[in-house]
Amino acid sequence: MRKLIASLAAASLLATAVPAFALFTNGGFETGDFSGWTLTGTGTSLSQVITAGTAMQPGQTLDINPYNGLYMARLQDVSGLFHTTQLSQTGAITQADLNSGGKLYVNWGVVLVDPDSHIGQLPPYFSIDILKNGSLIDSFYADASNRQGGGWLLAGYASWSGGGYGGTGDMYYKQDTYAYDFSSFDLGDTLTISMNVADCGYGGHGGFAFLDGIGTTYEPPTVPEPSTLILLGAGLGGLALWRRKQRK
Ligand SMILES: [Ca+2]
């Protein structure tokens, strides 16, 4: 029986893992490392593949766990000092990719420190670039100035110093899914994705990004919404009350 369950589990893993990330290798970081990806920039050594047990950054109060499976990538950390870091991979479009609906998905999140201190002047940011056969074809950009785009949550308070620089301020977090329609691509065209995160341009305010579920099948991120947390809290509270009543 145990053998049967194990083989069923393995079969279902294969069934879901292969089509989800057909375009890219290790699109969910489930190898536990950056295999298949190219990591470049000045924050390379600050970046790692994290699990639910990975320690939070100093000052971070909102725990951010893998969006899909057991692992996800984190680019950079809470420190400033002008880091910029890129994670990229190039894949050739297969028939399976075209059959999948022609969209590329990225579950992303980013924490940006003190985004209002110099609005419009080199704030920390997150961006995604798409290249077709080596030429830039789409760019997505996010910074937290004035909570651009909505959906930003307070994630803690950063207080960092080093190398003659320092930065303090609220840490703002946003999680979303980026979707790119690659129906203009033909079989065999190459698609390069480059995901970038940068500290502010004055050396103080850090930015760090989370990436998971990168592929041609949408994998909903497992992120508890604040409203879900409240409902869960209410549910647990109700259960505790019911238990207390049962005991009497
Ligand atoms: Ca994952």
Side-chain angles (χ1 to χ4, degrees):
M1 190 65 187
R2 199 176 291 170
K3 236 181 195 171
L4 179 69
I5 289 168
S7 60
L8 278 174
S12 71
L13 260 178
L14 278 173
T16 56
V18 172
F21 307 123
L23 183 57
F24 295 127
T25 302
N26 196 25
F29 306 96
E30 295 300 304
T31 57
D33 58 23
F34 287 110
S35 294
W37 292 94
T38 302
L39 183 64
T40 56
T42 50
T44 300
S45 65
L46 311 176
S47 306
Q48 65 179 123
V49 171
I50 65 163
T51 66
T54 306
M56 291 192 275
Q57 292 295 296
Q60 184 185 340
T61 53
L62 183 71
D63 201 0
I64 301 165
N65 293 315
Y67 301 142
N68 308 98
L70 299 176
Y71 300 94
M72 76 171 167
R74 193 200 68 223
L75 305 186
Q76 303 201 156
D77 65 8
V78 75
S79 67
L81 218 56
F82 312 99
H83 306 111
T84 65
T85 303
Q86 300 80 41
L87 187 68
S88 65
Q89 188 172 156
T90 298
I93 301 287
T94 66
Q95 195 56 51
D97 296 322
L98 293 173
N99 293 348
S100 71
K103 278 192 176 165
L104 170 65
Y105 299 94
V106 180
N107 290 328
W108 64 272
V110 68
V111 176
L112 301 169
V113 178
D114 197 14
D116 296 333
S117 62
H118 40 84
I119 290 174
Q121 297 180 335
L122 308 172
Y125 70 87
F126 170 73
S127 69
I128 298 175
D129 292 329
I130 301 287
L131 291 82
K132 180 183 182 181
N133 298 324
S135 299
L136 186 67
I137 191 168
D138 193 62
S139 276
F140 165 80
Y141 175 88
D143 75 45
S145 304
N146 297 318
R147 275 15 107 226
Q148 175 213 69
W152 295 90
L153 302 172
L154 263 180
Y157 186 85
S159 178
W160 165 88
S161 69
Y165 290 85
T168 58
D170 288 327
M171 302 159 82
Y172 280 97
Y173 169 68
K174 181 172 181 172
Q175 193 284 317
D176 207 350
T177 299
Y178 165 85
Y180 177 71
D181 182 338
F182 61 84
S183 53
S184 73
F185 283 62
D186 293 319
L187 190 68
D189 279 342
T190 65
L191 190 157
T192 302
I193 187 166
S194 176
M195 297 158 289
N196 321 288
V197 66
D199 298 338
C200 87
Y202 296 98
H205 307 123
F208 52 102
F210 299 89
L211 299 162
D212 208 350
I214 304 164
T216 51
T217 301
Y218 178 51
E219 305 259 329
T222 50
V223 182
E225 303 266 333
S227 58
T228 317
L229 288 176
I230 291 162
L231 277 176
L232 186 68
L236 288 174
L239 190 67
L241 212 70
W242 178 79
R243 280 217 179 118
R244 212 173 302 152
K245 272 191 179 161
Q246 293 295 101
R247 229 173 278 153
K248 277 181 186 169

